[in-house]
Amino acid sequence: MLNKVYENIRPHQKQVAHRFQSCIREEYVQYRQGGDESLVVLEQLNDAKEAAIVAQKLINSLSKPLYISSHEFYLGVSIGISIFPDDGPNPEMLIKNADTAMYQSKNNRKNQFSYYTEQMNERSKRRFALENQLRAALQNNEIYVVYQPQIDLKSYRVYGFEALVRWENKVQGLISSVEFITIAESIGIIDDIGIFVLREAIHHIKLWNRKFSNDMTVSVNISSRQFDNRRLPEIITSVLRE
C-alpha cells in the first residue's frame, strides 16, 4: 500500500515543478527550499510589481487541482516576497525576510502573496516569544476559563454559560484569544488547552447544578484542529467520567 502511495507522489511532485517552470522565465531560478517550500530567484526586475505578477501566476497555476489515483486534491499556496537591496543586503537575509512574509500570507489566508515589511519582523519576534511562553502557560497557571452567561430574554433567567479561555501572560498581560489560539493550533498544543477548558467547564457545571438544583448547561468551543484528533470522543468521555 505504502509503495503504491510513494509511486503516486513522485509524478505529481514533477507536475508541481512543471507548473513552476511554466510561470517563470528561463533566466529565473527555482530551488526546492525543503519540506513544502520552494524558492524562486527573479533577477534584473524593473520594479517590485514584476515579482507580484510572477507570484500571482504561481498562485493561479498551483491552486488548480491535482489528480492522484483518480482523486482530486487542491493545494493552498502562500508566497512571501523580499526585494534586494531594500529587504536585505545578502541572500541569507532576503530568504529569511521572504520566509517571514510567507508566514504573514499563511496567517491571512491561503492563495495570496505578501511583500516583506519591517512591521512583519516585529510581529515575527512577538510571535516567537509568545510561542515559547505559551508552551509553559498551562504549567504556570496562566491559562484560565471565564464564563459568559446565556440569558433567556423572556424570563431573564440565566440558563447556561459559554466557557471562554483566557491567557494572562506574566510579562505582557492579557493576550487576545484570537492571537494565542492560532499560535496554540500551529505549535500543536491546542489539544492540551482544549482538554483543560473541557475539564474546567465540566467541573464547574457539576458544582453549579449541585448548588442551585438547576439543569445548567455550559457550551465549550472546540478548535477545528481538535477534530483532526481521532481520539476526541474518547477524550471527552474520559473527562466526563472523571
Side-chain angles (χ1 to χ4, degrees):
M1 180 68 180
L2 285 175
N3 287 337
K4 289 183 179 180
V5 171
Y6 293 140
E7 287 172 7
N8 285 328
I9 286 174
R10 289 185 178 178
H12 294 86
Q13 287 177 328
K14 293 177 182 178
Q15 187 178 346
V16 170
H18 288 315
R19 293 190 187 187
F20 264 95
Q21 290 174 337
S22 69
C23 296
I24 61 177
R25 300 177 191 166
E26 288 186 6
E27 63 266 29
Y28 296 158
V29 183
Q30 176 209 343
Y31 301 93
R32 184 166 178 267
Q33 179 78 348
D36 61 352
E37 295 183 6
S38 291
L39 179 69
V40 178
V41 180
L42 311 179
E43 295 184 310
Q44 298 179 345
L45 296 180
N46 294 319
D47 58 50
K49 290 181 181 179
E50 289 187 32
I53 293 171
V54 174
Q56 192 58 58
K57 283 182 179 179
L58 286 168
I59 289 170
N60 294 342
S61 179
L62 293 171
S63 59
K64 293 176 182 177
L66 291 172
Y67 294 93
I68 303 176
S69 300
S70 75
H71 295 288
E72 193 174 88
F73 294 90
Y74 288 85
L75 298 178
V77 186
S78 301
I79 297 177
I81 300 172
S82 63
I83 306 293
F84 174 84
D86 296 342
D87 300 328
N90 53 57
E92 291 78 13
M93 186 61 71
L94 288 170
I95 292 172
K96 176 180 176 294
N97 290 340
D99 197 54
T100 298
M102 180 197 68
Y103 277 102
Q104 179 64 41
S105 296
K106 280 188 175 183
N107 289 336
N108 292 341
R109 59 185 176 85
K110 293 289 187 182
N111 297 333
Q112 73 167 32
F113 62 86
S114 300
Y115 286 99
Y116 171 78
T117 65
E118 279 295 331
Q119 289 82 1
M120 286 180 187
N121 201 32
E122 291 304 313
R123 286 195 293 268
S124 179
K125 288 179 182 177
R126 172 180 168 82
R127 181 185 173 90
F128 181 74
L130 289 179
E131 282 182 8
N132 291 330
Q133 293 162 14
L134 183 56
R135 293 180 192 278
L138 275 174
Q139 286 72 28
N140 295 338
N141 296 318
E142 295 178 6
I143 302 290
Y144 61 95
V145 179
V146 297
Y147 297 93
Q148 180 169 285
Q150 296 171 324
I151 301 172
D152 185 328
L153 293 181
K154 290 183 179 179
S155 64
Y156 294 101
R157 182 180 65 88
V158 175
Y159 64 87
F161 298 89
E162 181 181 6
L164 302 171
V165 65
R166 294 290 181 263
W167 178 22
E168 185 79 32
N169 184 282
K170 291 180 179 179
V171 178
Q172 302 186 48
L174 193 64
I175 306 296
S176 163
S177 56
V178 174
E179 184 175 21
F180 81 79
I181 289 297
T182 302
I183 294 174
E185 289 175 336
S186 68
I187 64 176
I189 64 169
I190 191 63
D191 281 331
D192 293 335
I193 292 176
I195 292 170
F196 169 79
V197 174
L198 186 64
R199 183 174 281 115
E200 285 287 295
I202 292 173
H203 170 71
H204 280 100
I205 193 174
K206 185 166 185 177
L207 290 178
W208 292 331
N209 284 336
R210 183 182 296 165
K211 184 174 181 179
F212 300 110
S213 300
N214 240 337
D215 289 329
M216 287 284 185
T217 63
V218 177
S219 303
V220 178
N221 297 306
I222 300 292
S223 163
S224 59
R225 293 294 178 92
Q226 289 176 261
F227 284 106
D228 291 336
N229 187 345
R230 294 183 178 180
R231 292 186 60 247
L232 182 60
E234 178 187 334
I235 291 168
I236 294 173
T237 302
S238 175
V239 175
L240 283 167
R241 283 174 179 164
E242 285 180 31

